[in-house]
Amino acid sequence: SALICLEPEAVELINIIERNNTAITLQWLAPRANGRAILYYTITVDPTDPEGNTTTYNVTAPLTSYRITPLPSGTRMISIFY
């Protein structure tokens, strides 16, 4: 029989642990890996400059929290992907 490995599930349950005008600390629940290794998470902050460029941060698994400091002005959305 064939072994089928599914992709890991999406990152969910993202919590803001701390937030102020200059920083934010995020924590999330590690998704089910479904037989695949999660090596790192990518956090995107959008937009972070007048041109609308996105800044990314890579967090090595198994860590499931990250502090963004300084928090870029104009931040409207933060996303986490594996």
Side-chain angles (χ1 to χ4, degrees):
S1 74
L3 176 63
I4 298 174
C5 290
L6 303 173
E7 291 293 318
E9 295 180 4
V11 173
E12 295 181 355
L13 301 173
I14 302 167
N15 294 304
I16 297 173
I17 303 301
E18 178 188 4
R19 180 182 68 184
N20 59 44
N21 291 337
T22 60
I24 189 168
T25 301
L26 305 169
Q27 185 177 46
W28 57 93
L29 183 64
R32 289 181 43 186
N34 293 325
R36 305 288 294 264
I38 296 175
L39 303 177
Y40 62 91
Y41 299 94
T42 300
I43 301 173
T44 61
V45 179
D46 182 38
T48 60
D49 63 25
E51 291 81 36
N53 295 319
T54 299
T55 299
T56 61
Y57 305 89
N58 289 320
V59 180
T60 304
L63 295 176
T64 57
S65 66
Y66 190 76
R67 179 176 175 83
I68 299 171
T69 185
L71 183 62
S73 63
T75 297
R76 290 187 281 160
M77 183 172 66
I78 298 174
S79 304
I80 303 175
F81 305 93
Y82 61 87

